[in-house]
Amino acid sequence: ALPEKKMVFKGLVTNKDNMNKLMLTPLIRYPLLGGSALITFEKAEVAQRIIEAKEHVVELSYGEDLEELDRCRVRVQAAPVDILLPSALEIGLTWSSRSILVSDLPSLAIPEEALLDKLELFFSKTKNGGSEVESREFLDDSGQVVLTFVEDGVAEPLIARGHIQVLIGKGRYELKISPCVSGDITNLQFQPSRCPRTVLLSGIPDVLGEEPMRDALEIHFQKASRGGGEVDALAYVPVGQHGVAVFTEDAG
């Protein structure tokens, strides 16, 4: 299924060759079942060794005699972490003939609804180049407003002006007028990718508290004598719980 989320694209295109390019930054949410852990090593070759071994015997505590030591060992399984990364994205853009995008709004100590009322009042007057306003909307997290007029032909002359001075309260502010372009994701393709430094550990029994178990796993897998290495991060989810790990772009 395609993601459903309102997004506002901001910024300037400084190179016309990049106008149709969009940079995707992965933010992957990976579900973790109870009795499992994700361990990320500093080096990819360490993770590969752990995965190739498949099963690992982890000592949870140290006893003086072998019989006690046997009771303190657990077997966990190691597997690679495969995720889907976006490889191609297509967005269909629609230019609204009756809407304008108003930006460069001043930061005033008034409610959003009051500011919208003042904008609607200004742009509904024909002497200001406007007309009756059908709807107004603050775009999420952008500080920009979309005004939609009842009639066609009102938006285009305002957009051609580019800027307009608006009286808000006791001040006069120059606002930017831009075309209102909306877009929908029409195609999103993914490709499988394997995390090079992260290993999924499963089959971890509920025999220790969360923090002692996390420490025991990290101690075990950072020892070179057991094929391990320096641990960058470790997330453990006890039996009966569930969690979500978030993967971001690996700058290393």
Side-chain angles (χ1 to χ4, degrees):
L2 295 179
E4 294 183 4
K5 179 176 175 60
K6 283 188 175 182
M7 295 182 290
V8 178
F9 293 89
K10 300 183 291 183
L12 297 174
V13 177
T14 57
N15 186 344
K16 65 179 182 180
D17 295 332
N18 295 329
M19 288 182 63
N20 293 320
K21 294 180 180 178
L22 184 66
M23 183 67 68
L24 293 178
T25 302
L27 188 67
I28 308 298
R29 287 171 171 80
Y30 186 89
L32 275 178
L33 300 178
S36 65
L38 281 178
I39 181 168
T40 300
F41 296 95
E42 290 187 357
K43 295 182 179 180
E45 53 266 30
V46 176
Q48 187 60 35
R49 285 200 303 267
I50 298 299
I51 292 170
E52 288 176 354
K54 294 185 179 179
E55 187 174 79
H56 299 264
V57 178
V58 180
E59 295 178 359
L60 301 184
S61 62
Y62 297 91
E64 293 182 357
D65 58 83
L66 184 62
E67 187 174 285
E68 183 182 352
L69 184 61
D70 280 340
R71 292 200 302 268
C72 296
R73 290 176 175 175
V74 297
R75 296 181 183 273
V76 300
Q77 285 70 48
V81 177
D82 294 319
I83 57 177
L84 290 175
L85 291 178
S87 60
L89 172 65
E90 294 180 5
I91 298 178
L93 300 178
T94 304
W95 187 305
S96 176
S97 62
R98 294 191 293 117
S99 300
I100 59 173
L101 183 68
V102 183
S103 54
D104 292 349
L105 296 170
S107 298
L108 302 176
I110 60 174
E112 285 187 357
E113 281 299 316
L115 180 56
L116 288 174
D117 288 341
K118 293 182 183 298
L119 291 175
E120 180 176 352
L121 184 61
F122 178 88
F123 283 100
S124 63
K125 295 180 179 180
T126 54
K127 68 177 183 179
N128 296 328
S131 181
E132 182 182 350
V133 175
E134 181 180 90
S135 65
R136 73 271 178 95
E137 177 190 8
F138 255 108
L139 294 181
D140 296 338
D141 303 322
S142 72
Q144 300 173 329
V145 171
V146 174
L147 294 177
T148 301
F149 299 101
V150 173
E151 301 175 359
D152 287 325
V154 180
E156 192 171 346
L158 287 171
I159 293 169
R161 292 173 65 173
H163 292 82
I164 191 169
Q165 286 196 345
V166 178
L167 182 65
I168 303 177
K170 297 181 180 180
R172 188 173 292 275
Y173 305 92
E174 186 169 284
L175 307 185
K176 183 179 179 182
I177 310 298
S178 307
C180 181
V181 180
S182 60
D184 294 305
I185 296 176
T186 56
N187 183 29
L188 180 59
Q189 298 178 11
F190 294 90
Q191 64 179 9
S193 179
R194 177 160 293 180
C195 297
R197 299 188 296 117
T198 302
V199 178
L200 174 64
L201 304 176
S202 59
I204 304 172
D206 187 19
V207 292
L208 279 183
E210 186 173 345
E211 187 172 347
M213 179 63 81
R214 187 187 302 113
D215 291 342
L217 291 171
E218 186 165 351
I219 290 171
H220 176 90
F221 285 101
Q222 72 180 0
K223 291 186 176 181
S225 60
R226 297 187 175 114
E230 287 295 325
V231 174
D232 191 17
L234 190 148
Y236 163 62
V237 180
V239 173
Q241 300 183 28
H242 65 274
V244 177
V246 179
F247 288 89
T248 58
E249 192 171 20
D250 191 348

PDB file of all heavy atoms in Angstrom, residues 28-52:
ATOM      1  N   ILE A  28      12.981   3.640   8.191  1.00  0.00           N
ATOM      2  CA  ILE A  28      12.293   2.353   8.145  1.00  0.00           C
ATOM      3  C   ILE A  28      11.954   1.889   9.557  1.00  0.00           C
ATOM      4  O   ILE A  28      12.814   1.840  10.436  1.00  0.00           O
ATOM      5  CB  ILE A  28      13.172   1.288   7.454  1.00  0.00           C
ATOM      6  CG1 ILE A  28      13.658   1.797   6.087  1.00  0.00           C
ATOM      7  CG2 ILE A  28      12.409  -0.018   7.308  1.00  0.00           C
ATOM      8  CD1 ILE A  28      12.567   2.091   5.106  1.00  0.00           C
ATOM      9  N   ARG A  29      10.690   1.550   9.782  1.00  0.00           N
ATOM     10  CA  ARG A  29      10.249   1.007  11.062  1.00  0.00           C
ATOM     11  C   ARG A  29      10.170  -0.518  10.963  1.00  0.00           C
ATOM     12  O   ARG A  29       9.458  -1.050  10.134  1.00  0.00           O
ATOM     13  CB  ARG A  29       8.892   1.607  11.456  1.00  0.00           C
ATOM     14  CG  ARG A  29       9.019   3.059  11.893  1.00  0.00           C
ATOM     15  CD  ARG A  29       7.665   3.719  12.084  1.00  0.00           C
ATOM     16  NE  ARG A  29       7.801   5.030  12.712  1.00  0.00           N
ATOM     17  CZ  ARG A  29       8.149   6.139  12.076  1.00  0.00           C
ATOM     18  NH1 ARG A  29       8.396   6.089  10.769  1.00  0.00           N
ATOM     19  NH2 ARG A  29       8.256   7.283  12.716  1.00  0.00           N
ATOM     20  N   TYR A  30      10.909  -1.175  11.837  1.00  0.00           N
ATOM     21  CA  TYR A  30      11.064  -2.629  11.781  1.00  0.00           C
ATOM     22  C   TYR A  30      10.469  -3.232  13.056  1.00  0.00           C
ATOM     23  O   TYR A  30      10.946  -2.951  14.157  1.00  0.00           O
ATOM     24  CB  TYR A  30      12.557  -2.960  11.659  1.00  0.00           C
ATOM     25  CG  TYR A  30      12.877  -4.409  11.439  1.00  0.00           C
ATOM     26  CD1 TYR A  30      12.945  -4.932  10.146  1.00  0.00           C
ATOM     27  CD2 TYR A  30      13.139  -5.261  12.500  1.00  0.00           C
ATOM     28  CE1 TYR A  30      13.255  -6.263   9.936  1.00  0.00           C
ATOM     29  CE2 TYR A  30      13.447  -6.590  12.299  1.00  0.00           C
ATOM     30  CZ  TYR A  30      13.504  -7.089  11.014  1.00  0.00           C
ATOM     31  OH  TYR A  30      13.813  -8.409  10.803  1.00  0.00           O
ATOM     32  N   PRO A  31       9.407  -4.042  12.944  1.00  0.00           N
ATOM     33  CA  PRO A  31       8.777  -4.610  14.150  1.00  0.00           C
ATOM     34  C   PRO A  31       9.662  -5.656  14.812  1.00  0.00           C
ATOM     35  O   PRO A  31      10.300  -6.468  14.147  1.00  0.00           O
ATOM     36  CB  PRO A  31       7.488  -5.236  13.602  1.00  0.00           C
ATOM     37  CG  PRO A  31       7.781  -5.515  12.162  1.00  0.00           C
ATOM     38  CD  PRO A  31       8.740  -4.459  11.703  1.00  0.00           C
ATOM     39  N   LEU A  32       9.701  -5.613  16.143  1.00  0.00           N
ATOM     40  CA  LEU A  32      10.470  -6.575  16.929  1.00  0.00           C
ATOM     41  C   LEU A  32       9.518  -7.352  17.830  1.00  0.00           C
ATOM     42  O   LEU A  32       8.792  -6.773  18.631  1.00  0.00           O
ATOM     43  CB  LEU A  32      11.510  -5.848  17.786  1.00  0.00           C
ATOM     44  CG  LEU A  32      12.843  -5.504  17.140  1.00  0.00           C
ATOM     45  CD1 LEU A  32      13.712  -4.753  18.149  1.00  0.00           C
ATOM     46  CD2 LEU A  32      13.557  -6.736  16.655  1.00  0.00           C
ATOM     47  N   LEU A  33       9.526  -8.677  17.695  1.00  0.00           N
ATOM     48  CA  LEU A  33       8.687  -9.525  18.528  1.00  0.00           C
ATOM     49  C   LEU A  33       9.361  -9.773  19.877  1.00  0.00           C
ATOM     50  O   LEU A  33      10.572  -9.580  20.033  1.00  0.00           O
ATOM     51  CB  LEU A  33       8.421 -10.854  17.817  1.00  0.00           C
ATOM     52  CG  LEU A  33       7.711 -10.766  16.457  1.00  0.00           C
ATOM     53  CD1 LEU A  33       7.570 -12.155  15.850  1.00  0.00           C
ATOM     54  CD2 LEU A  33       6.354 -10.096  16.594  1.00  0.00           C
ATOM     55  N   GLY A  34       8.571 -10.196  20.842  1.00  0.00           N
ATOM     56  CA  GLY A  34       9.118 -10.523  22.149  1.00  0.00           C
ATOM     57  C   GLY A  34      10.112 -11.665  22.062  1.00  0.00           C
ATOM     58  O   GLY A  34       9.967 -12.587  21.247  1.00  0.00           O
ATOM     59  N   GLY A  35      11.141 -11.621  22.905  1.00  0.00           N
ATOM     60  CA  GLY A  35      12.171 -12.650  22.884  1.00  0.00           C
ATOM     61  C   GLY A  35      13.171 -12.477  21.765  1.00  0.00           C
ATOM     62  O   GLY A  35      13.781 -13.457  21.315  1.00  0.00           O
ATOM     63  N   SER A  36      13.348 -11.235  21.302  1.00  0.00           N
ATOM     64  CA  SER A  36      14.292 -10.985  20.216  1.00  0.00           C
ATOM     65  C   SER A  36      15.095  -9.723  20.516  1.00  0.00           C
ATOM     66  O   SER A  36      14.756  -8.931  21.394  1.00  0.00           O
ATOM     67  CB  SER A  36      13.567 -10.854  18.874  1.00  0.00           C
ATOM     68  OG  SER A  36      12.726  -9.710  18.875  1.00  0.00           O
ATOM     69  N   ALA A  37      16.152  -9.556  19.761  1.00  0.00           N
ATOM     70  CA  ALA A  37      17.008  -8.383  19.926  1.00  0.00           C
ATOM     71  C   ALA A  37      17.632  -8.032  18.589  1.00  0.00           C
ATOM     72  O   ALA A  37      17.836  -8.900  17.734  1.00  0.00           O
ATOM     73  CB  ALA A  37      18.095  -8.646  20.966  1.00  0.00           C
ATOM     74  N   LEU A  38      17.918  -6.762  18.416  1.00  0.00           N
ATOM     75  CA  LEU A  38      18.692  -6.289  17.278  1.00  0.00           C
ATOM     76  C   LEU A  38      20.032  -5.792  17.792  1.00  0.00           C
ATOM     77  O   LEU A  38      20.081  -4.984  18.728  1.00  0.00           O
ATOM     78  CB  LEU A  38      17.973  -5.140  16.546  1.00  0.00           C
ATOM     79  CG  LEU A  38      16.831  -5.497  15.605  1.00  0.00           C
ATOM     80  CD1 LEU A  38      16.226  -4.235  15.010  1.00  0.00           C
ATOM     81  CD2 LEU A  38      17.288  -6.434  14.493  1.00  0.00           C
ATOM     82  N   ILE A  39      21.092  -6.283  17.205  1.00  0.00           N
ATOM     83  CA  ILE A  39      22.427  -5.867  17.625  1.00  0.00           C
ATOM     84  C   ILE A  39      23.178  -5.341  16.406  1.00  0.00           C
ATOM     85  O   ILE A  39      23.232  -6.008  15.371  1.00  0.00           O
ATOM     86  CB  ILE A  39      23.179  -7.028  18.316  1.00  0.00           C
ATOM     87  CG1 ILE A  39      24.559  -6.578  18.775  1.00  0.00           C
ATOM     88  CG2 ILE A  39      23.259  -8.262  17.433  1.00  0.00           C
ATOM     89  CD1 ILE A  39      25.244  -7.579  19.720  1.00  0.00           C
ATOM     90  N   THR A  40      23.699  -4.141  16.520  1.00  0.00           N
ATOM     91  CA  THR A  40      24.438  -3.510  15.430  1.00  0.00           C
ATOM     92  C   THR A  40      25.902  -3.400  15.827  1.00  0.00           C
ATOM     93  O   THR A  40      26.235  -2.838  16.876  1.00  0.00           O
ATOM     94  CB  THR A  40      23.877  -2.104  15.124  1.00  0.00           C
ATOM     95  OG1 THR A  40      22.505  -2.217  14.759  1.00  0.00           O
ATOM     96  CG2 THR A  40      24.647  -1.454  13.980  1.00  0.00           C
ATOM     97  N   PHE A  41      26.749  -3.954  14.994  1.00  0.00           N
ATOM     98  CA  PHE A  41      28.190  -3.931  15.249  1.00  0.00           C
ATOM     99  C   PHE A  41      28.831  -2.757  14.515  1.00  0.00           C
ATOM    100  O   PHE A  41      28.281  -2.212  13.559  1.00  0.00           O
ATOM    101  CB  PHE A  41      28.832  -5.248  14.787  1.00  0.00           C
ATOM    102  CG  PHE A  41      28.353  -6.456  15.536  1.00  0.00           C
ATOM    103  CD1 PHE A  41      27.320  -7.236  15.041  1.00  0.00           C
ATOM    104  CD2 PHE A  41      28.933  -6.815  16.753  1.00  0.00           C
ATOM    105  CE1 PHE A  41      26.873  -8.351  15.726  1.00  0.00           C
ATOM    106  CE2 PHE A  41      28.492  -7.920  17.446  1.00  0.00           C
ATOM    107  CZ  PHE A  41      27.463  -8.689  16.939  1.00  0.00           C
ATOM    108  N   GLU A  42      30.009  -2.384  14.973  1.00  0.00           N
ATOM    109  CA  GLU A  42      30.722  -1.292  14.312  1.00  0.00           C
ATOM    110  C   GLU A  42      31.236  -1.718  12.939  1.00  0.00           C
ATOM    111  O   GLU A  42      31.363  -0.889  12.042  1.00  0.00           O
ATOM    112  CB  GLU A  42      31.873  -0.800  15.184  1.00  0.00           C
ATOM    113  CG  GLU A  42      31.411  -0.055  16.437  1.00  0.00           C
ATOM    114  CD  GLU A  42      32.557   0.571  17.192  1.00  0.00           C
ATOM    115  OE1 GLU A  42      33.721   0.370  16.767  1.00  0.00           O
ATOM    116  OE2 GLU A  42      32.304   1.276  18.192  1.00  0.00           O
ATOM    117  N   LYS A  43      31.517  -3.023  12.789  1.00  0.00           N
ATOM    118  CA  LYS A  43      32.066  -3.516  11.525  1.00  0.00           C
ATOM    119  C   LYS A  43      31.126  -4.553  10.908  1.00  0.00           C
ATOM    120  O   LYS A  43      30.617  -5.435  11.605  1.00  0.00           O
ATOM    121  CB  LYS A  43      33.453  -4.123  11.737  1.00  0.00           C
ATOM    122  CG  LYS A  43      34.501  -3.108  12.194  1.00  0.00           C
ATOM    123  CD  LYS A  43      35.871  -3.751  12.344  1.00  0.00           C
ATOM    124  CE  LYS A  43      36.921  -2.732  12.780  1.00  0.00           C
ATOM    125  NZ  LYS A  43      38.262  -3.354  12.917  1.00  0.00           N
ATOM    126  N   ALA A  44      30.941  -4.462   9.593  1.00  0.00           N
ATOM    127  CA  ALA A  44      30.033  -5.364   8.884  1.00  0.00           C
ATOM    128  C   ALA A  44      30.540  -6.802   8.899  1.00  0.00           C
ATOM    129  O   ALA A  44      29.747  -7.744   8.943  1.00  0.00           O
ATOM    130  CB  ALA A  44      29.844  -4.885   7.441  1.00  0.00           C
ATOM    131  N   GLU A  45      31.857  -6.993   8.871  1.00  0.00           N
ATOM    132  CA  GLU A  45      32.388  -8.357   8.833  1.00  0.00           C
ATOM    133  C   GLU A  45      32.064  -9.116  10.123  1.00  0.00           C
ATOM    134  O   GLU A  45      31.924 -10.342  10.109  1.00  0.00           O
ATOM    135  CB  GLU A  45      33.895  -8.371   8.565  1.00  0.00           C
ATOM    136  CG  GLU A  45      34.716  -7.502   9.503  1.00  0.00           C
ATOM    137  CD  GLU A  45      34.980  -6.119   8.944  1.00  0.00           C
ATOM    138  OE1 GLU A  45      34.129  -5.614   8.182  1.00  0.00           O
ATOM    139  OE2 GLU A  45      36.044  -5.554   9.276  1.00  0.00           O
ATOM    140  N   VAL A  46      31.946  -8.406  11.235  1.00  0.00           N
ATOM    141  CA  VAL A  46      31.575  -9.064  12.493  1.00  0.00           C
ATOM    142  C   VAL A  46      30.140  -9.560  12.410  1.00  0.00           C
ATOM    143  O   VAL A  46      29.835 -10.702  12.790  1.00  0.00           O
ATOM    144  CB  VAL A  46      31.744  -8.097  13.679  1.00  0.00           C
ATOM    145  CG1 VAL A  46      31.265  -8.757  14.971  1.00  0.00           C
ATOM    146  CG2 VAL A  46      33.197  -7.664  13.817  1.00  0.00           C
ATOM    147  N   ALA A  47      29.244  -8.727  11.912  1.00  0.00           N
ATOM    148  CA  ALA A  47      27.846  -9.127  11.765  1.00  0.00           C
ATOM    149  C   ALA A  47      27.732 -10.350  10.856  1.00  0.00           C
ATOM    150  O   ALA A  47      26.948 -11.270  11.126  1.00  0.00           O
ATOM    151  CB  ALA A  47      27.024  -7.971  11.199  1.00  0.00           C
ATOM    152  N   GLN A  48      28.530 -10.370   9.788  1.00  0.00           N
ATOM    153  CA  GLN A  48      28.478 -11.500   8.858  1.00  0.00           C
ATOM    154  C   GLN A  48      28.920 -12.795   9.539  1.00  0.00           C
ATOM    155  O   GLN A  48      28.318 -13.852   9.327  1.00  0.00           O
ATOM    156  CB  GLN A  48      29.375 -11.202   7.637  1.00  0.00           C
ATOM    157  CG  GLN A  48      29.274 -12.228   6.523  1.00  0.00           C
ATOM    158  CD  GLN A  48      27.870 -12.358   5.962  1.00  0.00           C
ATOM    159  OE1 GLN A  48      27.141 -11.381   5.882  1.00  0.00           O
ATOM    160  NE2 GLN A  48      27.488 -13.577   5.585  1.00  0.00           N
ATOM    161  N   ARG A  49      29.939 -12.720  10.381  1.00  0.00           N
ATOM    162  CA  ARG A  49      30.400 -13.914  11.102  1.00  0.00           C
ATOM    163  C   ARG A  49      29.322 -14.431  12.046  1.00  0.00           C
ATOM    164  O   ARG A  49      29.082 -15.650  12.139  1.00  0.00           O
ATOM    165  CB  ARG A  49      31.670 -13.601  11.904  1.00  0.00           C
ATOM    166  CG  ARG A  49      32.930 -13.471  11.093  1.00  0.00           C
ATOM    167  CD  ARG A  49      34.159 -13.664  11.977  1.00  0.00           C
ATOM    168  NE  ARG A  49      34.195 -12.724  13.093  1.00  0.00           N
ATOM    169  CZ  ARG A  49      34.817 -11.553  13.071  1.00  0.00           C
ATOM    170  NH1 ARG A  49      35.435 -11.162  11.955  1.00  0.00           N
ATOM    171  NH2 ARG A  49      34.842 -10.775  14.139  1.00  0.00           N
ATOM    172  N   ILE A  50      28.656 -13.530  12.735  1.00  0.00           N
ATOM    173  CA  ILE A  50      27.608 -13.928  13.682  1.00  0.00           C
ATOM    174  C   ILE A  50      26.452 -14.596  12.950  1.00  0.00           C
ATOM    175  O   ILE A  50      25.896 -15.599  13.410  1.00  0.00           O
ATOM    176  CB  ILE A  50      27.120 -12.702  14.471  1.00  0.00           C
ATOM    177  CG1 ILE A  50      28.252 -12.094  15.297  1.00  0.00           C
ATOM    178  CG2 ILE A  50      25.934 -13.063  15.355  1.00  0.00           C
ATOM    179  CD1 ILE A  50      28.844 -13.018  16.326  1.00  0.00           C
ATOM    180  N   ILE A  51      26.094 -14.053  11.776  1.00  0.00           N
ATOM    181  CA  ILE A  51      24.988 -14.620  10.994  1.00  0.00           C
ATOM    182  C   ILE A  51      25.351 -15.992  10.458  1.00  0.00           C
ATOM    183  O   ILE A  51      24.539 -16.932  10.478  1.00  0.00           O
ATOM    184  CB  ILE A  51      24.618 -13.660   9.838  1.00  0.00           C
ATOM    185  CG1 ILE A  51      23.998 -12.374  10.400  1.00  0.00           C
ATOM    186  CG2 ILE A  51      23.660 -14.327   8.864  1.00  0.00           C
ATOM    187  CD1 ILE A  51      23.823 -11.276   9.377  1.00  0.00           C
ATOM    188  N   GLU A  52      26.568 -16.147   9.998  1.00  0.00           N
ATOM    189  CA  GLU A  52      27.002 -17.432   9.425  1.00  0.00           C
ATOM    190  C   GLU A  52      27.003 -18.543  10.477  1.00  0.00           C
ATOM    191  O   GLU A  52      26.750 -19.704  10.170  1.00  0.00           O
ATOM    192  CB  GLU A  52      28.395 -17.277   8.802  1.00  0.00           C
ATOM    193  CG  GLU A  52      28.395 -16.470   7.508  1.00  0.00           C
ATOM    194  CD  GLU A  52      29.784 -16.241   6.958  1.00  0.00           C
ATOM    195  OE1 GLU A  52      30.771 -16.612   7.649  1.00  0.00           O
ATOM    196  OE2 GLU A  52      29.901 -15.686   5.847  1.00  0.00           O
TER     197      GLU A  52
END
